[in-house]
Amino acid sequence: MNARFFSLGRVRAIGSNTFTELTRLRVFYVFLLFALLLIGSSVVMARLSFQQEFQVLKDISLGAISIFTSLLAILATARMLPQDIEDRTVYTILAKPVARSEYLVGKLAGVLVLLAISTAVMAALFFAALYIREQSALAETMRQMSAAPPEQVADALREIRDSTFHADLLAGIAAIFIKAAVLASLTLFISTFASSNIFTVVVAVVVYFIGHLQGTAREFWLQEQGAGWFTRIFLACVALLFPDLQLFNLNDQVVAGATIPPAQFVETALLGCFYVAIYLPLSVAVFARKEL
Amino acid sequence: MIESAVHITGVSKTFPIPFTRRSIVAVRDLHLRVEPGEVYGLLGPNGSGKSTTLKIILGLILPDCGKAQIFGRDTSEVASREAVGFLPESPYFPKYLTAFETLRFFGKLYSLRPAELSRRVAELLELVGLTSAGDRRLGGFSKGMLQRIGLAQALINNPRLVVLDEPTAGVDPAGSAEIRDLILDLKRRGITVLLSSHLLEQVQEVCDRIGILADGVLVREGRIGELLAVENQSELIYGNGTSDLSAQLEQVVRSSGGQVIENRKSRTTLERLFLEATRK
C-alpha cells in the first residue's frame, strides 16, 4: 500500500469506473444512435455526381461526428462532479488516500476514453458508408464506360478512388477528438466552481460558440483596430480563456479536398494539448480549495 | 509515547453564507483526542458540527485554525488517510457494480496488489455476511446490505482507524444489531472506531468514551460509565430472589440510612425483544 503523490493505478481505477458509469447513461446511446443514423442516411441523401456525392457524404458525416463528440464531451463532463457530490461518492473516494488531482485526472481520463471509443465507432460507420458508395460508384462507372478505352476507364476509376479515401480523413477525425478533449477539460474546469450541472452546460455551450466565432472576430478586430501591443495582449487573453475551436476544424479542408500538411496537424494536436495542460491544472487548483 | 489515533487541537470552522456578510460557526475551538483501540462516540443534535468534525478529520475540508492529526499526520496530507476507513452516512454505490466489483474498485484506490486485493475482498464479504451475494449487482441490494457493503469498503485497507457516520441510519433492528456486533468485533481486534450516531442506546452499548457537541462546542466528554453514573445512587441486580429477600434488602437499606428509590423486575431491551421475536 502506498500514498505516492500521484499514482497512475488510482487514476486508472477512477478512470475506468467513470467510463463504466458513463456507458450506463441512456442519453449517450440516444446521441450515438442519432449520429450513426445521420451518418448512415448521408449515403442516400446525396444523389449527385460522384465527386459531389462524396463531398456531401463527408460533410454530413464529419459534421455529425464533430457535433456529437462535442456535445458528449460537454454533457458527460458537466454531470460528473455535481453527481458525485450529490450522492456523496466523492466523500467515499476522497476519504481514501486519493489526491484531488488524481480524482480529476481519473474523471477526465474516463471521459476521454468514452470520446475516443465513440469517435472510433462513428468513424468506422462513416468509412463503411464511404466504402459502400465508392464500390457502387466504381461498378457504375465501369458499366457506363464498358466501351471506352482501358486508359480512360482507369483514369475515371482513379479519380473516384482519389475523391473517397485519403489519409487526411484520419487527420480530420483526430482533430475532432482533440477538440472534444479540449471541451471536456474546459467543462471540467467550469464544473469545479459551478454551482450546478445546468450552469456548467450553459457556460460550456456559450464558450463553444465563442470558441468557434473568435477567430473571425479576431481577424475583423485586427483589420479595424490595427495590431498594437494592447490589442495583441487582449486577444491573447481572450484566446486563452476561450479556446479558438475553429483551429480544430480541419474537416472543412478535408471536405473541400485540400490536403492537410503534417505540420498543420501537429500544430493542431499541440494546441489541443496546450489547452488541456492549461485547463486541467486550473481545475485541480480550484478543486483543491473546494470545501466538500 | 503512543500517538493518538485522532488528535484535534483548537480547531474552528466557519462557513460563509453566500451573498451575505454573515457566516455560520460549525465548530468552535474543538479539542478532541481518540486513543488507539478505543471506540469513541461523537454525539450531538443536527447542525451541532459532527459532520464538519468528521470531514476535517478526513481532510475533506480544512479548518480555519487549529490542527487535526491522524496517528501523528496532519489531515491535510493525503497519506494521513492510508490508515483510515470511512463509511459515510447513507452511502451511495453505483447500482450496476456487483458487491465484488465495488470492493475491488475501492481496494484499488489503496493500491493493493491483485492477490492481496482478491484475498481482502473475499474476507470482507465473509465478514459482512455477503459472500453468497458477491456476484449480485448493488441495484438489487436492501438498505442493510448496502450499509454492510459500505462497512466492508471502509475496511478494505485493514485500517487502524474506522470512521463511521451514522452507520445504522435507515437499517432495521436486525441489521443494526449486526453492525453493532461488527463494531464490537473491530474493537476486539484493536481497531480504533470513531462513530457518529443518533442512536444513543447503541452508542452506549459500544462506545468506551463519548463527546457531545452542541452548536459546534464540545460540551461533555468522558468515559460512558463515568458520565452516566448518578452520584448518590447505586443499583443491585440479583437473580432467583424471592419477594422475602427483596423485602429484607429494602429493610437493610432503610435501616442503614439509605433510601429505596425503585424496586422493580429487571427488563430486557426493546431491541433484544424485537430480535428474539423476529429470529428465524
Side-chain angles (χ1 to χ4, degrees), chain B residues 64-119:
Chain B
D64 298 335
C65 62
K67 209 159 104 176
Q69 291 180 317
I70 295 176
F71 294 110
R73 296 189 99 143
D74 199 279
T75 57
S76 61
E77 290 175 39
V78 172
S80 71
R81 300 193 280 282
E82 264 192 335
V84 183
F86 174 55
L87 171 67
E89 184 183 355
S90 307
Y92 173 88
F93 302 109
K95 291 181 176 63
Y96 50 83
L97 293 181
T98 63
F100 183 79
E101 289 166 342
T102 304
L103 295 184
R104 281 193 72 83
F105 166 65
F106 285 109
K108 283 177 187 169
L109 299 182
Y110 287 99
S111 308
L112 295 180
R113 292 179 190 286
E116 190 187 358
L117 182 56
S118 300
R119 186 180 52 78

Short mmCIF file of all heavy atoms in Angstrom, two decimals, chain B residues 64-119:
data_model
loop_
_atom_site.label_atom_id
_atom_site.label_comp_id
_atom_site.label_asym_id
_atom_site.label_seq_id
_atom_site.Cartn_x
_atom_site.Cartn_y
_atom_site.Cartn_z
N ASP B 64 -10.33 26.48 9.81
CA ASP B 64 -9.87 27.88 9.72
C ASP B 64 -8.63 28.06 10.60
O ASP B 64 -7.71 28.78 10.25
CB ASP B 64 -10.96 28.84 10.20
CG ASP B 64 -12.21 28.75 9.34
OD1 ASP B 64 -12.07 28.34 8.18
OD2 ASP B 64 -13.30 29.06 9.84
N CYS B 65 -8.65 27.43 11.76
CA CYS B 65 -7.48 27.47 12.63
C CYS B 65 -7.42 26.17 13.42
O CYS B 65 -8.38 25.40 13.44
CB CYS B 65 -7.55 28.68 13.55
SG CYS B 65 -8.96 28.64 14.65
N GLY B 66 -6.29 25.94 14.06
CA GLY B 66 -6.12 24.71 14.83
C GLY B 66 -5.51 23.61 13.98
O GLY B 66 -5.17 23.83 12.80
N LYS B 67 -5.38 22.46 14.59
CA LYS B 67 -4.68 21.36 13.93
C LYS B 67 -5.43 20.04 14.13
O LYS B 67 -5.94 19.78 15.22
CB LYS B 67 -3.29 21.24 14.57
CG LYS B 67 -2.23 20.70 13.64
CD LYS B 67 -0.87 21.09 14.13
CE LYS B 67 -0.17 19.93 14.79
NZ LYS B 67 1.20 20.23 15.19
N ALA B 68 -5.50 19.25 13.09
CA ALA B 68 -6.11 17.92 13.20
C ALA B 68 -5.13 16.89 12.67
O ALA B 68 -4.55 17.08 11.59
CB ALA B 68 -7.40 17.88 12.39
N GLN B 69 -4.93 15.84 13.44
CA GLN B 69 -3.96 14.81 13.05
C GLN B 69 -4.56 13.42 13.20
O GLN B 69 -5.38 13.18 14.09
CB GLN B 69 -2.72 14.89 13.93
CG GLN B 69 -1.88 16.13 13.72
CD GLN B 69 -0.67 16.14 14.62
OE1 GLN B 69 -0.77 15.81 15.80
NE2 GLN B 69 0.48 16.51 14.08
N ILE B 70 -4.11 12.53 12.31
CA ILE B 70 -4.46 11.11 12.43
C ILE B 70 -3.15 10.36 12.61
O ILE B 70 -2.27 10.46 11.74
CB ILE B 70 -5.18 10.60 11.16
CG1 ILE B 70 -6.54 11.30 11.00
CG2 ILE B 70 -5.38 9.10 11.24
CD1 ILE B 70 -7.26 10.93 9.73
N PHE B 71 -3.00 9.66 13.69
CA PHE B 71 -1.76 8.94 14.01
C PHE B 71 -0.54 9.83 13.75
O PHE B 71 0.44 9.42 13.12
CB PHE B 71 -1.66 7.63 13.22
CG PHE B 71 -2.70 6.62 13.60
CD1 PHE B 71 -3.72 6.29 12.74
CD2 PHE B 71 -2.69 6.03 14.86
CE1 PHE B 71 -4.71 5.38 13.09
CE2 PHE B 71 -3.68 5.11 15.23
CZ PHE B 71 -4.68 4.78 14.35
N GLY B 72 -0.63 11.06 14.17
CA GLY B 72 0.51 11.98 14.09
C GLY B 72 0.68 12.69 12.76
O GLY B 72 1.57 13.52 12.61
N ARG B 73 -0.15 12.37 11.77
CA ARG B 73 -0.02 13.03 10.46
C ARG B 73 -1.14 14.03 10.28
O ARG B 73 -2.30 13.73 10.60
CB ARG B 73 -0.10 12.02 9.31
CG ARG B 73 1.02 11.02 9.32
CD ARG B 73 0.98 10.21 8.05
NE ARG B 73 1.94 10.73 7.09
CZ ARG B 73 2.65 9.97 6.28
NH1 ARG B 73 2.47 8.67 6.29
NH2 ARG B 73 3.50 10.49 5.44
N ASP B 74 -0.77 15.19 9.76
CA ASP B 74 -1.76 16.23 9.54
C ASP B 74 -2.82 15.73 8.55
O ASP B 74 -2.49 15.11 7.54
CB ASP B 74 -1.07 17.48 8.99
CG ASP B 74 -1.94 18.70 9.18
OD1 ASP B 74 -2.86 18.89 8.34
OD2 ASP B 74 -1.73 19.43 10.15
N THR B 75 -4.08 16.05 8.83
CA THR B 75 -5.16 15.51 7.98
C THR B 75 -5.19 16.15 6.59
O THR B 75 -5.88 15.66 5.71
CB THR B 75 -6.55 15.70 8.64
OG1 THR B 75 -6.72 17.08 8.91
CG2 THR B 75 -6.66 14.90 9.91
N SER B 76 -4.43 17.25 6.42
CA SER B 76 -4.38 17.83 5.07
C SER B 76 -3.49 16.99 4.15
O SER B 76 -3.52 17.13 2.94
CB SER B 76 -3.86 19.27 5.14
OG SER B 76 -2.56 19.29 5.68
N GLU B 77 -2.68 16.09 4.75
CA GLU B 77 -1.82 15.22 3.93
C GLU B 77 -2.64 14.03 3.43
O GLU B 77 -3.34 13.38 4.23
CB GLU B 77 -0.67 14.65 4.76
CG GLU B 77 0.38 15.64 5.17
CD GLU B 77 1.39 14.98 6.10
OE1 GLU B 77 1.75 13.81 5.86
OE2 GLU B 77 1.78 15.64 7.06
N VAL B 78 -2.53 13.76 2.14
CA VAL B 78 -3.26 12.62 1.56
C VAL B 78 -2.85 11.32 2.26
O VAL B 78 -3.68 10.46 2.55
CB VAL B 78 -2.98 12.53 0.04
CG1 VAL B 78 -3.55 11.26 -0.54
CG2 VAL B 78 -3.58 13.74 -0.67
N ALA B 79 -1.57 11.22 2.61
CA ALA B 79 -1.05 10.00 3.21
C ALA B 79 -1.67 9.72 4.58
O ALA B 79 -1.65 8.57 5.04
CB ALA B 79 0.46 10.09 3.33
N SER B 80 -2.22 10.74 5.23
CA SER B 80 -2.83 10.52 6.56
C SER B 80 -4.02 9.56 6.45
O SER B 80 -4.42 8.95 7.43
CB SER B 80 -3.28 11.85 7.16
OG SER B 80 -4.41 12.35 6.47
N ARG B 81 -4.58 9.44 5.24
CA ARG B 81 -5.78 8.61 5.08
C ARG B 81 -5.45 7.15 4.72
O ARG B 81 -6.35 6.36 4.48
CB ARG B 81 -6.69 9.24 4.03
CG ARG B 81 -7.12 10.65 4.45
CD ARG B 81 -8.23 11.19 3.62
NE ARG B 81 -7.81 11.73 2.34
CZ ARG B 81 -7.25 12.92 2.16
NH1 ARG B 81 -6.99 13.70 3.20
NH2 ARG B 81 -6.92 13.36 0.96
N GLU B 82 -4.16 6.85 4.69
CA GLU B 82 -3.76 5.46 4.41
C GLU B 82 -4.29 4.50 5.45
O GLU B 82 -4.65 3.37 5.14
CB GLU B 82 -2.24 5.37 4.41
CG GLU B 82 -1.63 5.47 3.06
CD GLU B 82 -0.17 5.09 3.08
OE1 GLU B 82 0.47 5.21 4.14
OE2 GLU B 82 0.33 4.70 2.03
N ALA B 83 -4.32 4.97 6.71
CA ALA B 83 -4.68 4.08 7.81
C ALA B 83 -6.15 4.23 8.20
O ALA B 83 -6.56 3.76 9.25
CB ALA B 83 -3.79 4.39 9.01
N VAL B 84 -6.93 4.91 7.35
CA VAL B 84 -8.31 5.22 7.72
C VAL B 84 -9.31 4.51 6.81
O VAL B 84 -9.09 4.39 5.61
CB VAL B 84 -8.56 6.75 7.61
CG1 VAL B 84 -9.97 7.10 8.06
CG2 VAL B 84 -7.55 7.51 8.44
N GLY B 85 -10.40 4.08 7.40
CA GLY B 85 -11.52 3.57 6.61
C GLY B 85 -12.73 4.43 6.95
O GLY B 85 -12.89 4.81 8.12
N PHE B 86 -13.55 4.77 5.97
CA PHE B 86 -14.65 5.68 6.23
C PHE B 86 -15.95 5.16 5.63
O PHE B 86 -16.01 4.77 4.47
CB PHE B 86 -14.32 7.06 5.63
CG PHE B 86 -15.45 8.05 5.70
CD1 PHE B 86 -16.07 8.36 6.90
CD2 PHE B 86 -15.91 8.68 4.55
CE1 PHE B 86 -17.13 9.27 6.96
CE2 PHE B 86 -16.96 9.60 4.59
CZ PHE B 86 -17.56 9.89 5.81
N LEU B 87 -16.99 5.19 6.44
CA LEU B 87 -18.33 4.86 5.96
C LEU B 87 -19.18 6.12 6.09
O LEU B 87 -19.51 6.54 7.20
CB LEU B 87 -18.95 3.74 6.80
CG LEU B 87 -20.42 3.45 6.54
CD1 LEU B 87 -20.64 2.87 5.15
CD2 LEU B 87 -20.99 2.50 7.58
N PRO B 88 -19.54 6.76 4.95
CA PRO B 88 -20.37 7.97 5.05
C PRO B 88 -21.81 7.61 5.39
O PRO B 88 -22.22 6.45 5.26
CB PRO B 88 -20.28 8.59 3.65
CG PRO B 88 -19.92 7.48 2.75
CD PRO B 88 -19.23 6.43 3.56
N GLU B 89 -22.57 8.62 5.79
CA GLU B 89 -23.98 8.41 6.11
C GLU B 89 -24.72 8.07 4.81
O GLU B 89 -24.50 8.72 3.79
CB GLU B 89 -24.56 9.69 6.73
CG GLU B 89 -25.99 9.53 7.17
CD GLU B 89 -26.57 10.82 7.72
OE1 GLU B 89 -25.82 11.81 7.84
OE2 GLU B 89 -27.77 10.83 8.01
N SER B 90 -25.59 7.10 4.84
CA SER B 90 -26.34 6.63 3.66
C SER B 90 -25.44 6.58 2.42
O SER B 90 -25.62 7.34 1.49
CB SER B 90 -27.52 7.55 3.37
OG SER B 90 -28.30 7.71 4.52
N PRO B 91 -24.47 5.70 2.41
CA PRO B 91 -23.52 5.70 1.29
C PRO B 91 -24.20 5.31 -0.02
O PRO B 91 -25.15 4.53 -0.03
CB PRO B 91 -22.49 4.64 1.69
CG PRO B 91 -23.23 3.72 2.60
CD PRO B 91 -24.23 4.57 3.32
N TYR B 92 -23.71 5.89 -1.12
CA TYR B 92 -24.22 5.56 -2.44
C TYR B 92 -23.12 4.81 -3.19
O TYR B 92 -21.96 5.22 -3.18
CB TYR B 92 -24.58 6.82 -3.22
CG TYR B 92 -24.95 6.53 -4.65
CD1 TYR B 92 -26.26 6.22 -5.00
CD2 TYR B 92 -23.99 6.54 -5.65
CE1 TYR B 92 -26.59 5.92 -6.30
CE2 TYR B 92 -24.31 6.24 -6.96
CZ TYR B 92 -25.61 5.93 -7.28
OH TYR B 92 -25.93 5.63 -8.58
N PHE B 93 -23.50 3.72 -3.82
CA PHE B 93 -22.56 2.99 -4.67
C PHE B 93 -23.23 2.74 -6.01
O PHE B 93 -24.45 2.56 -6.06
CB PHE B 93 -22.18 1.65 -4.03
CG PHE B 93 -21.58 1.79 -2.66
CD1 PHE B 93 -22.28 1.39 -1.54
CD2 PHE B 93 -20.32 2.35 -2.49
CE1 PHE B 93 -21.74 1.54 -0.28
CE2 PHE B 93 -19.78 2.50 -1.24
CZ PHE B 93 -20.49 2.10 -0.12
N PRO B 94 -22.44 2.75 -7.10
CA PRO B 94 -23.05 2.52 -8.41
C PRO B 94 -23.86 1.23 -8.43
O PRO B 94 -23.36 0.17 -8.03
CB PRO B 94 -21.84 2.43 -9.34
CG PRO B 94 -20.76 3.18 -8.64
CD PRO B 94 -21.00 2.95 -7.17
N LYS B 95 -25.11 1.33 -8.91
CA LYS B 95 -26.02 0.18 -8.88
C LYS B 95 -25.60 -0.92 -9.84
O LYS B 95 -25.97 -2.07 -9.67
CB LYS B 95 -27.44 0.65 -9.24
CG LYS B 95 -28.07 1.53 -8.19
CD LYS B 95 -29.49 1.93 -8.61
CE LYS B 95 -30.19 2.74 -7.55
NZ LYS B 95 -29.54 4.03 -7.27
N TYR B 96 -24.85 -0.54 -10.87
CA TYR B 96 -24.51 -1.52 -11.90
C TYR B 96 -23.33 -2.40 -11.50
O TYR B 96 -23.03 -3.37 -12.18
CB TYR B 96 -24.22 -0.82 -13.23
CG TYR B 96 -23.25 0.33 -13.09
CD1 TYR B 96 -21.89 0.11 -13.07
CD2 TYR B 96 -23.72 1.63 -12.95
CE1 TYR B 96 -21.01 1.16 -12.93
CE2 TYR B 96 -22.84 2.68 -12.80
CZ TYR B 96 -21.48 2.44 -12.78
OH TYR B 96 -20.60 3.46 -12.63
N LEU B 97 -22.63 -2.02 -10.42
CA LEU B 97 -21.49 -2.84 -9.99
C LEU B 97 -21.97 -3.95 -9.06
O LEU B 97 -22.93 -3.76 -8.31
CB LEU B 97 -20.47 -1.99 -9.25
CG LEU B 97 -19.70 -0.92 -10.04
CD1 LEU B 97 -18.72 -0.20 -9.14
CD2 LEU B 97 -18.97 -1.53 -11.22
N THR B 98 -21.27 -5.07 -9.08
CA THR B 98 -21.57 -6.13 -8.12
C THR B 98 -20.84 -5.79 -6.82
O THR B 98 -19.97 -4.91 -6.80
CB THR B 98 -21.09 -7.50 -8.63
OG1 THR B 98 -19.67 -7.44 -8.75
CG2 THR B 98 -21.69 -7.85 -9.97
N ALA B 99 -21.19 -6.51 -5.75
CA ALA B 99 -20.52 -6.28 -4.46
C ALA B 99 -19.03 -6.51 -4.62
O ALA B 99 -18.19 -5.74 -4.11
CB ALA B 99 -21.11 -7.23 -3.43
N PHE B 100 -18.69 -7.55 -5.34
CA PHE B 100 -17.29 -7.92 -5.58
C PHE B 100 -16.55 -6.79 -6.32
O PHE B 100 -15.47 -6.36 -5.91
CB PHE B 100 -17.30 -9.21 -6.42
CG PHE B 100 -15.96 -9.77 -6.72
CD1 PHE B 100 -15.28 -10.51 -5.77
CD2 PHE B 100 -15.37 -9.57 -7.97
CE1 PHE B 100 -14.03 -11.03 -6.06
CE2 PHE B 100 -14.12 -10.09 -8.26
CZ PHE B 100 -13.45 -10.83 -7.30
N GLU B 101 -17.17 -6.28 -7.40
CA GLU B 101 -16.54 -5.20 -8.19
C GLU B 101 -16.39 -3.92 -7.37
O GLU B 101 -15.40 -3.20 -7.50
CB GLU B 101 -17.37 -4.91 -9.44
CG GLU B 101 -17.31 -6.00 -10.49
CD GLU B 101 -18.40 -5.86 -11.56
OE1 GLU B 101 -19.40 -5.15 -11.35
OE2 GLU B 101 -18.24 -6.51 -12.61
N THR B 102 -17.41 -3.64 -6.55
CA THR B 102 -17.36 -2.43 -5.73
C THR B 102 -16.16 -2.47 -4.79
O THR B 102 -15.39 -1.50 -4.69
CB THR B 102 -18.67 -2.31 -4.90
OG1 THR B 102 -19.76 -2.34 -5.80
CG2 THR B 102 -18.70 -1.02 -4.10
N LEU B 103 -15.99 -3.59 -4.11
CA LEU B 103 -14.87 -3.70 -3.17
C LEU B 103 -13.53 -3.67 -3.90
O LEU B 103 -12.56 -3.09 -3.41
CB LEU B 103 -14.99 -4.97 -2.33
CG LEU B 103 -16.20 -5.02 -1.39
CD1 LEU B 103 -16.18 -6.27 -0.52
CD2 LEU B 103 -16.25 -3.78 -0.49
N ARG B 104 -13.48 -4.26 -5.08
CA ARG B 104 -12.23 -4.24 -5.87
C ARG B 104 -11.88 -2.79 -6.24
O ARG B 104 -10.73 -2.39 -6.17
CB ARG B 104 -12.37 -5.08 -7.14
CG ARG B 104 -12.24 -6.56 -6.89
CD ARG B 104 -12.07 -7.31 -8.21
NE ARG B 104 -10.77 -7.08 -8.80
CZ ARG B 104 -9.67 -7.73 -8.46
NH1 ARG B 104 -9.71 -8.65 -7.52
NH2 ARG B 104 -8.52 -7.48 -9.05
N PHE B 105 -12.91 -2.02 -6.65
CA PHE B 105 -12.66 -0.62 -7.03
C PHE B 105 -12.06 0.15 -5.86
O PHE B 105 -11.03 0.83 -6.01
CB PHE B 105 -13.96 0.04 -7.50
CG PHE B 105 -13.87 1.54 -7.58
CD1 PHE B 105 -13.01 2.15 -8.50
CD2 PHE B 105 -14.59 2.36 -6.73
CE1 PHE B 105 -12.89 3.54 -8.57
CE2 PHE B 105 -14.49 3.74 -6.79
CZ PHE B 105 -13.63 4.34 -7.71
N PHE B 106 -12.67 0.02 -4.67
CA PHE B 106 -12.17 0.79 -3.53
C PHE B 106 -10.79 0.28 -3.09
O PHE B 106 -9.95 1.06 -2.65
CB PHE B 106 -13.17 0.76 -2.38
CG PHE B 106 -14.36 1.65 -2.65
CD1 PHE B 106 -15.61 1.13 -2.93
CD2 PHE B 106 -14.21 3.04 -2.68
CE1 PHE B 106 -16.69 1.95 -3.21
CE2 PHE B 106 -15.29 3.87 -2.97
CZ PHE B 106 -16.53 3.33 -3.23
N GLY B 107 -10.58 -1.03 -3.24
CA GLY B 107 -9.26 -1.58 -2.89
C GLY B 107 -8.16 -1.03 -3.78
O GLY B 107 -7.04 -0.78 -3.33
N LYS B 108 -8.51 -0.81 -5.05
CA LYS B 108 -7.51 -0.28 -6.00
C LYS B 108 -7.09 1.13 -5.60
O LYS B 108 -5.98 1.56 -5.91
CB LYS B 108 -8.06 -0.28 -7.42
CG LYS B 108 -8.06 -1.66 -8.05
CD LYS B 108 -8.69 -1.60 -9.43
CE LYS B 108 -8.86 -2.99 -10.01
NZ LYS B 108 -9.68 -2.97 -11.21
N LEU B 109 -7.97 1.85 -4.94
CA LEU B 109 -7.62 3.22 -4.52
C LEU B 109 -6.56 3.20 -3.43
O LEU B 109 -5.93 4.22 -3.16
CB LEU B 109 -8.87 3.96 -4.04
CG LEU B 109 -9.98 4.13 -5.07
CD1 LEU B 109 -11.14 4.93 -4.49
CD2 LEU B 109 -9.47 4.82 -6.33
N TYR B 110 -6.38 2.05 -2.78
CA TYR B 110 -5.30 1.91 -1.79
C TYR B 110 -4.08 1.25 -2.41
O TYR B 110 -3.18 0.84 -1.70
CB TYR B 110 -5.78 1.07 -0.61
CG TYR B 110 -6.75 1.80 0.30
CD1 TYR B 110 -8.12 1.60 0.20
CD2 TYR B 110 -6.29 2.70 1.27
CE1 TYR B 110 -9.01 2.27 1.03
CE2 TYR B 110 -7.17 3.36 2.10
CZ TYR B 110 -8.52 3.15 1.97
OH TYR B 110 -9.40 3.81 2.80
N SER B 111 -4.11 1.11 -3.72
CA SER B 111 -3.01 0.47 -4.47
C SER B 111 -2.69 -0.92 -3.92
O SER B 111 -1.52 -1.30 -3.83
CB SER B 111 -1.76 1.35 -4.42
OG SER B 111 -2.05 2.65 -4.82
N LEU B 112 -3.73 -1.67 -3.54
CA LEU B 112 -3.49 -3.04 -3.07
C LEU B 112 -3.07 -3.91 -4.25
O LEU B 112 -3.59 -3.74 -5.36
CB LEU B 112 -4.76 -3.63 -2.44
CG LEU B 112 -5.29 -2.98 -1.17
CD1 LEU B 112 -6.55 -3.70 -0.70
CD2 LEU B 112 -4.24 -3.02 -0.07
N ARG B 113 -2.16 -4.84 -4.00
CA ARG B 113 -1.73 -5.74 -5.08
C ARG B 113 -2.88 -6.71 -5.40
O ARG B 113 -3.66 -7.04 -4.50
CB ARG B 113 -0.50 -6.53 -4.64
CG ARG B 113 0.71 -5.64 -4.47
CD ARG B 113 1.92 -6.43 -4.01
NE ARG B 113 2.99 -5.52 -3.64
CZ ARG B 113 3.73 -4.83 -4.50
NH1 ARG B 113 3.54 -4.97 -5.79
NH2 ARG B 113 4.69 -4.02 -4.08
N PRO B 114 -2.95 -7.18 -6.67
CA PRO B 114 -4.10 -8.00 -7.08
C PRO B 114 -4.39 -9.19 -6.17
O PRO B 114 -5.55 -9.43 -5.79
CB PRO B 114 -3.72 -8.46 -8.49
CG PRO B 114 -2.79 -7.40 -8.98
CD PRO B 114 -2.06 -6.89 -7.79
N ALA B 115 -3.34 -9.92 -5.78
CA ALA B 115 -3.56 -11.11 -4.95
C ALA B 115 -4.11 -10.71 -3.58
O ALA B 115 -5.05 -11.33 -3.06
CB ALA B 115 -2.26 -11.89 -4.79
N GLU B 116 -3.50 -9.66 -3.01
CA GLU B 116 -3.93 -9.19 -1.69
C GLU B 116 -5.36 -8.66 -1.76
O GLU B 116 -6.18 -8.90 -0.86
CB GLU B 116 -2.97 -8.07 -1.24
CG GLU B 116 -3.15 -7.66 0.20
CD GLU B 116 -2.32 -6.44 0.56
OE1 GLU B 116 -1.57 -5.94 -0.30
OE2 GLU B 116 -2.45 -5.97 1.71
N LEU B 117 -5.65 -7.98 -2.88
CA LEU B 117 -6.99 -7.40 -3.06
C LEU B 117 -8.04 -8.51 -3.12
O LEU B 117 -9.08 -8.43 -2.45
CB LEU B 117 -7.00 -6.56 -4.34
CG LEU B 117 -8.30 -5.83 -4.69
CD1 LEU B 117 -8.74 -4.92 -3.55
CD2 LEU B 117 -8.12 -5.00 -5.96
N SER B 118 -7.76 -9.55 -3.89
CA SER B 118 -8.72 -10.66 -4.02
C SER B 118 -8.96 -11.31 -2.66
O SER B 118 -10.09 -11.63 -2.29
CB SER B 118 -8.19 -11.72 -4.99
OG SER B 118 -8.02 -11.13 -6.24
N ARG B 119 -7.87 -11.47 -1.90
CA ARG B 119 -7.99 -12.10 -0.58
C ARG B 119 -8.83 -11.22 0.35
O ARG B 119 -9.74 -11.71 1.02
CB ARG B 119 -6.58 -12.30 0.00
CG ARG B 119 -6.53 -13.08 1.31
CD ARG B 119 -5.10 -13.25 1.81
NE ARG B 119 -4.36 -11.99 1.89
CZ ARG B 119 -4.51 -11.09 2.85
NH1 ARG B 119 -5.37 -11.30 3.82
NH2 ARG B 119 -3.80 -9.97 2.85
#
